[in-house]
């Protein structure tokens, strides 16, 4: 059940490039979060500005500790990763829909950049059988943007792509997808919208079920403000309430990409 | 501020026949229809639930993106998306009625007839304590001019709704335009309470892509940035002595922000943007306002109304 509570910053660790790992404690309410669900975070120190809480996928949980993988993209995230240990953060969560847990057959996980976050929780929560059946295609711009590769490789098969070829295979995650779709039961993806649209199209062409985790600016995170609407094939979808995880076929990709 | 357990402050306010247990309400559009938050917020602790705006028939929202954060504020262009007044009365109102809270229903339209249909429907609905009309909507029969920008048009609209309901009728006004003249026209036409005010028209552009930040190009600014604008509007309307209670709305984040509105002349307040980021903001703000009353040695929150000290005052 969603709760509104205050948590404490335990650590903020610079991982690489513009990626940070924020660890909060006093987050018992998030312990049972499902992969794909997210939380709204707002440091108390923001007071009048920035105004709105920011949504982040839950990356890892351990007891009352929760890790968020954060890419700095603007003044909200810039400020959040500068929080000191001990700072109080207002948290709303867990909110949103989760990735399905496939009961049989191979799963292809496709993560682009910081889109690794909800995929990481899926891998954590999967049982040994699910992991043995899963392949992660993890793409980034360059080798320096790749994170937690060793941990990931110990748990699932990983195919790495970088746009500049500095690590793994040169190219995009979608270049590696097609050969894995034969016999695949489910594709789960999170990353840049354009990437997910391409992933969804390839999965659709191969008639493989596909779930995507969308992102949008939002104010409330719980279906109240209607600010995070994205175009769906049957009308607008709220990323916070109908998503963030949605069947790829529910999204009107042509309109989303406009 | 610590609240002393032995202190008693009368937090009740009377808004032309509608008694509220405390003066802090949710603002329309930031608390849905109340029922969505029943597990997160004790609805009985709110001065009132003010619902998201309703139209006679369901209305779709604007194209995405619908929200952009400005400095100390938020620009939204949701587009008054709502399921329609009948759906509200059938699906949400019975649930809301089961909670011990006041219910103020916000409504709007594109024509005078739209407003009258809503007012009549809500007048007949059991569990609606007051009707709040949003005057910041374009009148499609007057070339898109907002009802609330023209005193005579605003007056005609309020008069039409007044004939459709005997329940308390609140007029929610724009902070821009001839606010005192519009306020006077609404009171002359029978409004029981004036709410000041709505979001302020605003726009943001991405300088790199040169594109507007919002799908609808422009939107309405809310949040701390507009607080002083709304306090001034309450102040000047209060000074016009129109004889009805005022409700202050705009950028309230703390009990002291709320107190400013009361000192400017408001009887009650609504909390919007802060409610979006902190679901139980109204309750915290009520507690902070009570603590402020104790600090100021007032025994009733009503004593703050219009108590701003001006030249010549002691």
């Amino acid at each position: 059940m969603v709760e509104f509570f205050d948590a404490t910053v335990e650590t903020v660790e610079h991982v690489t490039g513009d990626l940070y790992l924020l660890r909060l404690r006093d987050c018992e309410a998030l312990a049972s979060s499902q992969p794909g669900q997210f939380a709204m975070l707002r440091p108390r120190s923001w007071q009048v500005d920035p105004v709105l809480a920011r949504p982040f996928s839950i990356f890892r949980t351990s007891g009352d500790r929760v890790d968020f993988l954060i890419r700095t993209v603007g003044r909200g995230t810039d400020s959040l990763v500068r929080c000191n240990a001990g700072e109080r953060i207002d948290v709303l969560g867990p909110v949103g829909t989760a990735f399905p847990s496939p009961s049989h057959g191979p799963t292809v996980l496709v993560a682009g950049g910081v889109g690794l976050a909800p995929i990481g929780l899926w891998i954590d929560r999967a049982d040994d059988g699910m992991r043995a059946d899963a392949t992660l295609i993890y793409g980034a711009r360059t080798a320096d943007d790749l994170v937690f590769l060793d941990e990931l490789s110990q748990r699932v098969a990983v195919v790495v792509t970088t746009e500049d070829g500095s690590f793994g295979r040169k190219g995009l995650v979608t270049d590696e997808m097609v050969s894995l779709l034969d016999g695949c039961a489910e594709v789960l993806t999170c990353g840049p919208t354009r990437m997910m649209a391409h992933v969804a199209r390839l999965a659709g062409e191969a008639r493989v079920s596909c779930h995507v985790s969308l992102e949008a600016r939002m104010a409330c995170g719980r279906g109240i403000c209607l600010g995070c609407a994205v175009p769906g094939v049957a009308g607008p979808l709220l990323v916070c309430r109908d998503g963030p995880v949605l069947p790829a076929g529910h999204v009107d990709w042509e309109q989303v990409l406009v | 501020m610590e609240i002393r357990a032995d202190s008693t402050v009368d937090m009740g306010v009377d808004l032309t026949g509608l008694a509220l247990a405390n003066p802090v309400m949710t603002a329309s559009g930031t608390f849905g229809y109340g029922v969505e938050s029943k597990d997160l917020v004790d609805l009985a602790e709110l001065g009132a639930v003010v619902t998201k705006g309703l139209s006679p028939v369901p209305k779709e929202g604007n194209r995405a993106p619908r929200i952009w954060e400005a400095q100390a504020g938020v620009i939204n262009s949701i587009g008054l998306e709502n399921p329609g007044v009948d759906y509200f009365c059938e699906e949400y109102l019975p649930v809301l009625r089961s909670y011990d809270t006041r219910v103020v229903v916000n409504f709007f339209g594109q024509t005078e007839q739209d407003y009258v249909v809503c007012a009549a429907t809500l007048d007949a609905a059991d569990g609606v304590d007051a009707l709040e009309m949003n005057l910041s909507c374009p009148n499609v029969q007057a070339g898109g001019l907002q009802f609330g920008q023209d005193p005579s048009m605003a007056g005609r609209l309020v008069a039409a709704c007044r004939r459709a309901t005997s329940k308390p009728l609140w007029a929610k006004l724009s902070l821009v335009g001839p606010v005192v003249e519009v306020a006077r026209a609404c009171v002359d036409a029978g409004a029981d309470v004036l709410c000041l005010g709505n979001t302020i028209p605003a726009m943001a552009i991405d300088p790199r892509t040169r594109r507007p930040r919002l799908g609808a190009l422009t939107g309405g600014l809310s949040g701390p940035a507009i607080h002083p604008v709304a306090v001034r509007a309450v102040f000047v309307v209060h000074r016009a002595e129109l004889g009805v209670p005022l409700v202050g709305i705009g950028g309230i984040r703390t009990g002291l922000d709320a107190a400013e509105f009361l000192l400017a002349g408001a009887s009650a307040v609504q909390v919007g943007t802060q409610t979006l980021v902190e679901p139980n903001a109204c309750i915290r703000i009520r507690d902070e306002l009570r603590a402020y009353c104790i600090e100021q040695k007032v025994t009733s929150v009503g004593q703050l109304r219009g108590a701003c000290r001006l030249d010549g005052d002691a």
Side-chain angles (χ1 to χ4, degrees):
Chain A
M1 197 183 83
V2 57
E3 289 186 35
F4 182 72
F5 60 97
D6 70 315
T8 307
V9 175
E10 185 151 289
T11 53
V12 184
E13 183 189 330
H14 179 219
V15 185
T16 179
D18 51 11
L19 288 177
Y20 293 77
L21 192 69
L22 169 69
R23 174 166 298 174
L24 302 183
R25 63 171 186 264
D26 312 325
C27 290
E28 289 88 351
L30 301 183
S32 58
S33 302
Q34 297 301 301
Q37 290 194 293
F38 66 101
M40 303 290 291
L41 305 185
R42 187 176 190 278
R44 289 271 171 93
S45 61
W46 284 3
Q47 298 197 35
V48 298
D49 187 81
V51 177
L52 298 175
R54 301 296 196 262
F56 298 99
S57 289
I58 293 154
F59 178 46
R60 296 192 298 215
T61 69
S62 173
D64 75 332
R65 265 59 166 185
V66 176
D67 289 348
F68 296 92
L69 190 60
I70 292 174
R71 183 160 83 96
T72 51
V73 295
R75 62 201 182 102
T77 44
D78 285 347
S79 168
L80 192 57
V81 301
R82 284 199 306 270
C83 279
N84 297 310
E87 267 197 50
R88 309 299 285 174
I89 309 270
D90 281 332
V91 182
L92 179 88
V95 274
T97 56
F99 284 119
S101 300
S103 51
H104 61 87
T107 304
V108 174
L109 310 166
V110 186
V114 73
L116 178 68
I119 301 288
L121 189 62
W122 188 93
I123 293 170
D124 273 0
R125 296 288 163 86
D127 61 29
D128 288 345
M130 287 159 68
R131 280 188 205 133
D133 263 343
T135 303
L136 168 65
I137 309 174
Y138 177 24
R141 289 163 297 187
T142 180
D144 288 344
D145 293 337
L146 295 162
V147 295
F148 303 109
L149 256 189
D150 291 346
E151 291 97 318
L152 293 164
S153 303
Q154 285 165 19
R155 312 182 86 170
V156 292
V158 181
V159 177
V160 175
T161 67
T162 51
E163 288 173 36
D164 64 359
S166 54
F167 194 92
R169 301 184 192 169
K170 182 174 172 31
L172 304 173
V173 288
T174 41
D175 301 335
E176 303 301 322
M177 233 185 101
V178 178
S179 62
L180 292 167
L181 288 178
D182 193 24
C184 171
E186 179 77 46
V187 173
L188 308 177
T189 184
C190 184
T193 305
R194 197 162 290 279
M195 181 206 93
M196 289 194 290
H198 195 183
V199 169
R201 185 162 57 77
L202 294 177
E205 285 167 5
R207 299 184 184 284
V208 176
S209 167
C210 178
H211 282 76
V212 300
S213 176
L214 296 181
E215 183 173 55
R217 293 183 188 280
M218 57 183 68
C220 72
R222 53 195 195 96
I224 301 285
C225 72
L226 312 185
C228 62
V230 296
V233 292
L237 297 163
L238 293 183
V239 170
C240 73
R241 190 189 63 198
D242 303 320
V245 176
L246 288 157
H250 290 194
V251 179
D252 183 342
W253 292 103
E254 217 168 284
Q255 287 300 313
V256 166
L257 291 174
V258 167
Chain B
M1 285 181 283
E2 284 296 314
I3 300 159
R4 297 205 310 272
D6 60 342
S7 306
T8 54
V9 178
D10 177 6
M11 294 296 284
V13 292
D14 184 88
L15 299 177
T16 317
L18 180 66
L20 307 183
N22 76 75
V24 188
M25 302 172 261
T26 63
S28 181
T30 64
F31 204 62
Y33 303 98
V35 299
E36 304 92 331
S37 302
K38 60 188 168 56
D39 297 325
L40 273 180
V41 180
D42 184 352
L43 302 181
E45 296 284 301
L46 301 170
V49 169
V50 182
T51 71
K52 182 164 173 59
L54 295 161
S55 46
V57 294
K59 184 177 184 311
E60 288 184 6
N62 287 331
R63 61 175 291 192
R66 293 176 172 184
I67 205 148
W68 177 256
E69 185 179 271
Q71 291 178 51
V74 178
I75 310 175
N76 86 77
S77 63
I78 307 303
L80 296 173
E81 178 176 337
N82 79 94
V85 69
D86 292 329
Y87 187 90
F88 167 78
C89 290
E90 286 157 28
E91 299 296 324
Y92 293 130
L93 194 52
V95 184
L96 207 45
R97 216 161 38 213
S98 69
Y99 289 85
D100 179 26
T101 189
R102 294 294 193 187
V103 177
V104 180
V105 181
N106 184 287
F107 67 100
F108 68 94
Q110 297 184 316
T111 64
E112 187 178 300
Q113 186 58 22
D114 283 351
Y115 280 87
V116 170
V117 167
C118 283
T121 303
L122 295 168
D123 184 71
D126 185 23
V128 175
D129 293 301
L131 284 60
E132 180 184 76
M133 50 194 299
N134 174 2
L135 284 143
S136 303
C137 290
N139 180 352
V140 296
Q141 292 163 333
L145 179 65
Q146 282 186 11
F147 289 98
Q149 289 299 309
D150 177 68
S152 63
M153 201 157 73
R156 273 199 307 277
L157 187 66
V158 172
C161 291
R162 179 74 286 169
R163 288 190 291 273
T165 182
S166 56
K167 289 181 176 173
L169 182 62
W170 300 9
K172 183 170 177 174
L173 308 184
S174 172
L175 294 175
V176 296
V179 61
V180 174
E181 290 75 11
V182 171
R184 183 173 284 117
C186 290
V187 172
D188 289 346
D192 297 305
V193 170
L194 298 177
C195 304
L196 295 154
N198 217 310
T199 58
I200 296 175
M203 183 178 194
I205 299 170
D206 182 340
R208 297 263 147 59
T209 65
R210 305 187 183 189
R211 292 185 184 280
R213 300 282 195 183
L214 297 174
L217 310 185
T218 65
L221 180 66
S222 67
I226 75 165
H227 178 255
V229 180
V231 170
R232 179 263 179 193
V234 167
F235 181 74
V236 297
V237 171
H238 176 69
R239 286 190 124 185
E241 298 183 10
L242 302 176
V244 299
L246 308 179
V247 174
I249 316 165
I252 296 175
R253 194 179 61 84
T254 67
L256 295 182
D257 296 336
E260 278 194 61
F261 274 113
L262 304 184
L263 295 170
S267 297
V269 296
Q270 295 176 4
V271 179
T273 302
Q274 188 64 26
T275 296
L276 288 176
V277 295
E278 181 192 355
N280 42 30
C282 283
I283 298 170
R284 173 183 57 78
I285 289 164
R286 176 205 62 185
D287 291 344
E288 291 174 357
L289 187 59
R290 182 195 285 126
Y292 169 77
C293 289
I294 294 165
E295 175 202 293
Q296 292 289 310
K297 298 183 170 54
V298 303
T299 54
S300 158
V301 74
Q303 291 170 285
L304 297 175
R305 180 165 41 85
C308 177
R309 289 198 181 112
L310 304 174
D311 278 356
D313 290 354

